[in-house]
């Protein structure tokens, strides 16, 4: 029997098009596997790839989340071997050891495993993501927690516990909590002291979920270790502190912003994970509709003026700004940013860190930048009148200024600037446009099914002047943690400033009237853009209502 090539199988099963296949083949590196290249481009999910490989190779697919793996089996396979080859032993039957592998064609791994265990190896195929999580859970986290609890007497002082010794159990436990969060693509880790335990929660796709609860007596030593990693004062527990942790997780650089807050039952710690390998640097991948993307590109490609991105914390404003800078970056332009903090370092762009303790504020940094002959300036956030005023002046003297504001809608940004004290005539002559943005969770592609909309959903669509006949909803599967969602996509409201809106700003027209005119001129609200993404099968009505209900 002639084995079909993977690309042909994927095209035949309708998962990718001929065009996507040839595009991937043209761009993939010589040593990169086709499956990995298609995953990188986002044309297929790992689950879809595995189903096709299962058919192509005749090797069964193993769902690791269904297995409770015995500790005796774990001890058979050394941790170093499991991590090096990305494999997980799952059960023994007679003289056979069943193993889940990312690459079941890796004969070197199977031979080494056979020599190490003395068993005949029966491979199965599993997703890299589930393997990484399972290896972390069974080999690292379990081991670290057991060691810490074994080494630990509750009356011991923090100093006795080796929180600076890289091989101590508490150090390994903290590293594993962070590694596990990175594996689950969490954006934040919350360590919440409760009355009788320390709760560790991860924010995945914008929603918090409890990962584990640790004994109360481990609280102080765990928090002390995290504070040492962020160069904070471990003896100060009455005042909030901010720090930064840089580390490597699974050979990838990860940057963590650290914040402590004294609470009733001890210090609460939040770690914001900035995965440096995951920065979105392409405007085409931000979720703009074709029309909105065209309007946005027009705004940022003007030689001067201000472009504002608005939305609450965690709505992806930074990603949009960085993607815009990436688009504009070239040797012929001088781009300078003032940020607090510098989240992602971009090649070829001069990034300045705000340091308020030494007087380096947004406003003072911005003044100095103007003497550096910039073409494009990015300000992390316009927080006060002084920064807003300098930004406006910079845009009027021939610079393009990109920045963010905390407002709920695009039109609200206009009144926010006026409330800050900026003169309406300066706003009307300097502003190019405003983009309001939110993030909604995407339906998991592995367990999505087509469903009919409910009567309430039909009503919501009708009120927005739209129709819908079918939509996608996730059943919930191990790959999405049974939530039915995996990953996020942005919804936008794009407001270009035209002559009529400039007149409205000058005459301080009410916000409602400007909104009405903008919608008549073709501006889609956050709700409409969200519902459009529901009709495309990207998200659900509940998600859109959750982030754009006030619309």
């Amino acid at each position: 029997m002639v084995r079909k090539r993977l690309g042909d199988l994927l095209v035949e099963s309708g998962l990718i098009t001929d065009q996507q296949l040839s595009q991937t083949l043209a761009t993939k590196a010589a040593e990169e596997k086709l499956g990995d290249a298609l995953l990188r481009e986002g044309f297929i999910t790992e689950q879809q790839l595995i189903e096709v490989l299962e058919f192509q190779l005749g090797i069964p697919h193993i769902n690791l989340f269904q297995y409770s793996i015995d500790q005796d089996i774990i001890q058979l396979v050394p941790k170093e071997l499991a991590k090096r080859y990305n494999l997980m032993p799952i059960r023994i039957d007679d003289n056979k050891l069943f193993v889940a592998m990312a690459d079941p064609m890796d004969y070197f791994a199977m031979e080494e495993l056979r020599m190490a265990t003395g068993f005949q190896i029966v491979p199965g195929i599993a997703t890299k993501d589930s393997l990484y999580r399972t290896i972390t859970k069974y080999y690292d986290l379990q081991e670290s927690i057991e060691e810490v609890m074994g080494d630990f007497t509750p009356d011991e002082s923090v100093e006795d516990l080796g929180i600076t010794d890289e091989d101590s159990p508490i150090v390994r436990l903290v590293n594993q909590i962070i590694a596990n969060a990175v594996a689950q693509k969490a954006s934040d880790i919350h360590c919440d002291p409760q009355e009788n335990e320390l709760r560790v929660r991860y924010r995945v796709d914008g929603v918090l979920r409890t990962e584990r609860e640790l004994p109360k007596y481990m609280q102080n030593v765990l928090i002390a270790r995290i504070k040492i990693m962020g160069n904070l004062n471990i003896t100060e527990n009455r005042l909030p502190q901010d720090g930064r942790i840089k580390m490597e997780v699974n050979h990838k650089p990860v940057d963590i912003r650290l914040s402590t807050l004294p609470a009733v039952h001890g210090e609460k710690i939040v770690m914001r994970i900035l995965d440096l390998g995951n920065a979105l640097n392409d405007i085409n991948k931000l979720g703009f509709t074709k029309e909105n993307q065209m309007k946005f590109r027009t705004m940022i490609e003007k030689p001067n003026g201000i472009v504002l991105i608005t939305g609450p914390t965690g709505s992806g404003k930074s990603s949009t700004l960085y993607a815009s800078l990436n688009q504009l970056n070239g040797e012929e332009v001088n781009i300078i940013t003032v940020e607090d903090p510098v989240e992602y370092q971009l090649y070829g762009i001069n990034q300045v860190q705000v340091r308020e303790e030494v007087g380096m504020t947004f406003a003072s940094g911005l003044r100095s930048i103007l003497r550096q002959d910039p073409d494009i300036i990015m300000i992390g956030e316009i927080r006060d009148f002084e920064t807003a005023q300098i930004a406006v002046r910079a845009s009027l003297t021939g610079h393009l200024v990109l920045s963010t504001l905390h407002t709920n809608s695009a039109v609200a940004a206009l009144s926010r600037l006026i409330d800050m004290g900026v003169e309406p005539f300066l706003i009307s002559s300097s502003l190019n446009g405003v983009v309001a943005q939110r993030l909604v969770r995407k339906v998991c592609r592995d367990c999505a099914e087509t469903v009919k909309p409910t009567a309430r959903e039909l009503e919501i669509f009708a009120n927005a002047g739209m129709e819908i006949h079918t939509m996608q909803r996730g059943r919930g599967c191990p790959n999405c943690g049974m939530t039915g969602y995996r990953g996020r996509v942005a919804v936008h409201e794009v407001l270009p400033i035209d002559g009529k809106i400039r007149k409205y700003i000058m005459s301080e027209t009410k916000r409602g009237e400007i909104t009405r005119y903008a919608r008549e001129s073709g501006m889609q609200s956050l709700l409409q853009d969200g519902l459009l993404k529901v009709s495309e099968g990207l998200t659900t009505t509940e998600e859109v209502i959750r982030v754009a209900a006030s619309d």
Side-chain angles (χ1 to χ4, degrees):
M1 176 183 144
V2 180
R3 183 178 286 164
K4 285 194 174 176
R5 290 182 307 178
L6 176 65
D8 297 334
L9 274 172
L10 287 165
V11 172
E12 270 178 38
S13 53
L15 291 173
I16 60 170
T17 62
D18 279 318
Q19 186 188 352
Q20 287 173 331
L21 177 60
S22 42
Q23 182 186 326
T24 309
L25 287 168
T27 56
K28 84 177 186 75
E31 68 286 351
E32 190 178 21
K33 291 179 179 168
L34 175 62
D36 290 341
L38 287 164
L39 284 174
R40 180 173 47 76
E41 291 291 340
F43 292 146
I44 55 170
T45 68
E46 204 171 355
Q47 186 70 25
Q48 290 167 335
L49 175 64
I50 279 175
E51 282 164 11
V52 173
L53 284 173
E54 184 179 12
F55 174 75
Q56 188 196 27
L57 305 172
I59 292 173
H61 165 219
I62 292 171
N63 187 344
L64 282 170
F65 297 93
Q66 291 174 348
Y67 284 88
S68 177
I69 301 166
D70 200 311
Q71 208 58 39
D72 296 342
I73 296 173
I74 304 288
Q75 282 161 5
L76 266 179
V77 177
K79 175 164 80 171
E80 185 269 327
L81 199 66
K83 287 191 161 185
R84 181 158 29 110
Y85 291 119
N86 206 2
L87 53 84
M88 188 74 200
I90 48 174
R91 66 188 172 91
I92 294 171
D93 197 351
D94 292 338
N95 196 31
K96 293 175 184 169
L97 176 64
F98 288 80
V99 181
M101 304 174 72
D103 182 3
M105 304 300 284
D106 188 342
Y107 297 113
F108 292 110
M110 285 197 275
E111 187 55 26
E112 197 170 331
L113 202 53
R114 188 181 67 75
M115 302 279 280
T117 62
F119 284 93
Q120 186 187 331
I121 306 302
V122 181
I125 188 167
T127 63
K128 286 180 185 166
D129 199 21
S130 65
L131 277 163
Y132 180 45
R133 281 198 221 177
T134 313
I135 291 168
T136 302
K137 178 180 167 185
Y138 282 100
Y139 279 103
D140 295 323
L141 214 47
Q142 213 50 45
E143 193 180 90
S144 304
I145 288 172
E146 280 165 13
E147 276 184 299
V148 173
M149 292 169 100
D151 282 11
F152 204 101
T153 50
D155 55 354
E156 235 173 334
S157 73
V158 163
E159 288 74 27
D160 300 335
L161 283 155
I163 53 174
T164 54
D165 173 8
E166 286 304 313
D167 284 331
S168 79
I170 192 71
V171 170
R172 290 217 299 278
L173 174 61
V174 172
N175 289 350
Q176 287 316 320
I177 287 172
I178 294 170
N180 208 14
V182 172
Q184 294 189 35
K185 297 188 170 58
S187 59
D188 303 84
I189 304 170
H190 289 240
C191 298
D192 298 333
Q194 304 296 310
E195 192 173 357
N196 301 315
E197 79 254 335
L198 175 69
R199 192 163 57 154
V200 178
R201 294 190 292 169
Y202 292 165
R203 187 180 291 280
V204 181
D205 291 338
V207 178
L208 273 170
R209 59 172 183 242
T210 301
E211 180 61 20
R212 58 182 55 241
E213 285 167 352
L214 299 171
K216 183 72 175 173
Y217 61 75
M218 287 168 67
Q219 178 179 308
N220 288 350
V221 66
L222 190 91
I223 286 170
R225 171 59 196 163
I226 293 170
K227 286 166 87 170
I228 280 176
M229 290 169 81
N231 292 321
L232 302 184
N233 179 356
I234 66 166
T235 58
E236 177 56 79
N237 53 19
R238 297 160 305 169
L239 292 172
Q241 296 184 70
D242 289 313
R244 194 152 197 172
I245 300 169
K246 275 196 157 108
M247 61 190 291
E248 270 204 2
V249 174
N250 213 19
H251 310 299
K252 286 200 309 199
V254 172
D255 205 348
I256 295 168
R257 272 159 52 189
L258 179 61
S259 167
T260 75
L261 183 72
V264 178
H265 298 299
E267 282 178 283
K268 174 177 167 65
I269 284 194
V270 176
M271 292 179 269
R272 161 65 60 92
I273 300 169
L274 306 166
D275 183 350
L276 303 179
N278 239 353
L280 268 178
N281 286 333
D282 187 349
I283 285 184
N284 299 316
K285 293 181 180 169
L286 292 177
F288 279 109
T289 60
K290 273 205 178 92
E291 191 184 337
N292 279 346
Q293 190 177 344
M294 210 164 64
K295 287 179 186 171
F296 183 59
R297 281 180 186 273
T298 308
M299 288 178 198
I300 62 170
E301 281 164 8
K302 288 185 176 170
N304 55 13
I306 298 181
V307 178
L308 292 175
I309 317 283
T310 80
T313 307
S315 57
K317 300 189 295 293
S318 297
S319 293
T320 304
L321 278 181
Y322 283 124
S324 310
L325 290 181
N326 216 41
Q327 174 78 22
L328 299 166
N329 194 7
E331 63 172 303
E332 67 286 350
V333 289
N334 177 19
I335 302 178
I336 307 183
T337 75
V338 197
E339 301 170 65
D340 182 21
V342 173
E343 290 189 6
Y344 300 112
Q345 289 168 12
L346 298 176
Y347 178 74
I349 289 176
N350 310 288
Q351 293 170 276
V352 177
Q353 169 77 50
V354 166
R355 301 182 67 129
E356 300 210 346
E357 67 275 14
V358 294
M360 176 64 172
T361 61
F362 275 118
S364 62
L366 202 43
R367 273 198 205 91
S368 309
I369 280 177
L370 291 172
R371 294 192 281 275
Q372 290 276 326
D373 180 34
D375 299 292
I376 298 165
I377 300 167
M378 191 268 262
I379 308 163
E381 187 188 333
I382 294 179
R383 294 179 183 168
D384 51 40
F385 167 65
E386 201 178 358
T387 312
Q389 192 178 38
I390 302 166
V392 167
R393 302 244 181 257
S395 71
L396 293 173
T397 51
H399 306 92
L400 178 68
V401 179
L402 307 176
S403 190
T404 69
L405 262 187
H406 282 268
T407 65
N408 286 334
S409 69
V411 176
L414 309 176
S415 39
R416 177 91 178 90
L417 288 171
I418 291 170
D419 290 346
M420 275 184 183
V422 183
E423 294 290 347
F425 74 91
L426 288 174
I427 299 169
S428 80
S429 46
S430 63
L431 204 57
N432 290 353
V434 187
V435 176
Q437 177 170 319
R438 300 286 188 282
L439 291 175
V440 291
R441 291 184 292 169
K442 284 160 76 173
V443 172
C444 171
R445 283 165 64 178
D446 293 326
C447 61
E449 54 186 8
T450 305
V451 295
K452 287 260 188 271
T454 62
R456 175 73 184 122
E457 283 171 328
L458 288 170
E459 188 187 329
I460 291 166
F461 271 82
N463 289 343
M466 299 164 77
E467 270 186 20
I468 189 162
H469 304 294
T470 60
M471 57 210 301
Q472 297 283 303
R473 200 178 292 281
R475 278 191 315 277
C477 67
N479 291 332
C480 59
M482 306 311 289
T483 58
Y485 297 101
R486 197 169 188 210
R488 288 192 288 176
V489 65
V491 293
H492 302 96
E493 183 174 275
V494 181
L495 174 70
I497 306 295
D498 63 13
K500 188 92 179 267
I501 293 179
R502 291 187 201 285
K503 282 182 189 160
Y504 279 146
I505 297 169
M506 291 273 283
S507 59
E508 296 192 42
T509 305
K510 285 196 170 65
R511 193 194 295 180
E513 207 165 313
I514 299 178
T515 305
R516 190 164 57 250
Y517 166 74
R519 290 194 180 165
E520 283 166 6
S521 308
M523 178 184 83
Q524 282 187 318
S525 67
L526 284 167
L527 182 67
Q528 285 171 319
D529 191 44
L531 294 179
L532 204 62
K533 288 182 168 71
V534 173
S535 63
E536 288 168 5
L538 287 174
T539 187
T540 61
T541 321
E542 298 89 70
E543 270 299 287
V544 174
I545 297 296
R546 183 173 69 85
V547 301
S550 61
D551 198 47

